[in-house]
């Protein structure tokens, strides 16, 4: 199949189904809840996409707003969180006053932005003192479950070998450093198992070929990409799903 240029707008309608659907959303929401303190009344889910996770964070006494850059993703989020709770904006410039939010959640966004420093700075601006950010970190690296598929990717895997093209901007230590510079201090860690559609050698090769695999793969030189595809093709059990990955969550609290 020919690769088409990736865009979040065209991805929107197949996003949920292709990223583990409600099972992943439920696991992610549970992971986020483990790190959210009591008393969160207003929460923004930034880079919240279709709102599949955000809607699970609502409570009788907690309002949730989804913020995302992409109109196509937000159109789906608006159905899940009606009443103006799906807002188009970038994580670098949020539509909230200073110190106005009790919490921010941010799943699978920080590995995508070109520079995490202004995003973390913006999060610190809109959180109230004592407010909490809970975000995924080390996203690309978490995909490495040590399976034969990961061995086929080998040293090109983020955090293995020289990891050319890996998205290091969401590395835990980097996010902690950015946070420390703007008054956010570590407040806990957790993880969730993402029940993905299942990664088999054949399904992964298809995602790479159609340019829909993780972002680091799109930065590979053609020779490296072809090498991965041929090593994947040589693996046994082409359609057998390998284990699901665990994704790390980090909480940072704004100093009171
Ligand atoms: C991998 S999806 C994650 C969606 C959602 N958090 C989830 O896990 O289901 C990344 C989302 O981030 C959004 N996005 C990318 N860059 C952004 C930015 N700079 N500011 C806000 N949203 C952004 C995309 O439109 C997309 O909806």
């Amino acid at each position: 199949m020919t690769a088409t240029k990736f865009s979040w707008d065209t991805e929107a309608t197949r996003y949920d189904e292709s990223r583990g659907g409600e099972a992943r959303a439920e696991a992610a929401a549970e992971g986020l809840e483990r790190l959210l303190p009591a008393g969160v009344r207003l929460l923004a889910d930034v880079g919240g996409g279709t709102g599949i996770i955000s809607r699970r964070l609502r409570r009788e006494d907690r309002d949730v707003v989804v913020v995302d850059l992409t109109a196509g993703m937000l159109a789906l989020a608006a159905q899940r969180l009606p009443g103006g709770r799906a807002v188009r904006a970038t994580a670098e410039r949020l539509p909230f006053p200073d110190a106005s939010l009790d919490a921010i959640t941010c799943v699978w966004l920080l590995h995508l932005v070109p520079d995490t420093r202004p995003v973390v700075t913006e999060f610190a601006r809109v959180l109230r003192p004592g407010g909490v950010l809970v975000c995924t970190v080390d996203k690309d690296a978490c995909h490495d479950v040590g399976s034969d598929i990961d061995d086929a990717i080998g040293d090109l895997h983020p955090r293995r070998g020289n990891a050319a093209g890996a998205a290091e901007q969401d590395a835990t230590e980097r996010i902690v450093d950015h946070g420390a510079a703007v008054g956010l201090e570590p407040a806990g860690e957790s993880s969730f198992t993402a029940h993905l559609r299942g990664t088999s050698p054949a399904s992964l090769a298809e995602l790479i070929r159609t340019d829909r695999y993780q972002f680091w793969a799109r930065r590979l030189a053609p020779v490296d990409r072809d090498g991965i595809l041929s090593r994947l093709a040589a693996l046994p059990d082409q359609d057998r799903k390998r284990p699901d990955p665990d994704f790390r969550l980090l909480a940072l609290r704004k100093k009171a």
Side-chain angles (χ1 to χ4, degrees), residues 8 15 24 47 49 53 68-70 73 90-92 107-109:
W8 285 112
Y15 182 84
R24 177 197 68 107
I53 297 171
D68 202 279
L69 186 61
T70 307
M73 301 289 273
T90 70
E92 292 83 352
V107 174
W108 290 1
L109 171 69

Side-chain angles (χ1 to χ4, degrees), residues 17 72 81 85 94 104 121 133-135 145 161 172 195 207 217:
E17 156 272 319
L81 292 103
R85 291 181 179 80
L94 294 171
I104 294 172
T121 301
L133 161 68
V134 185
C135 57
V145 297
T172 299
H195 305 286
L207 286 177

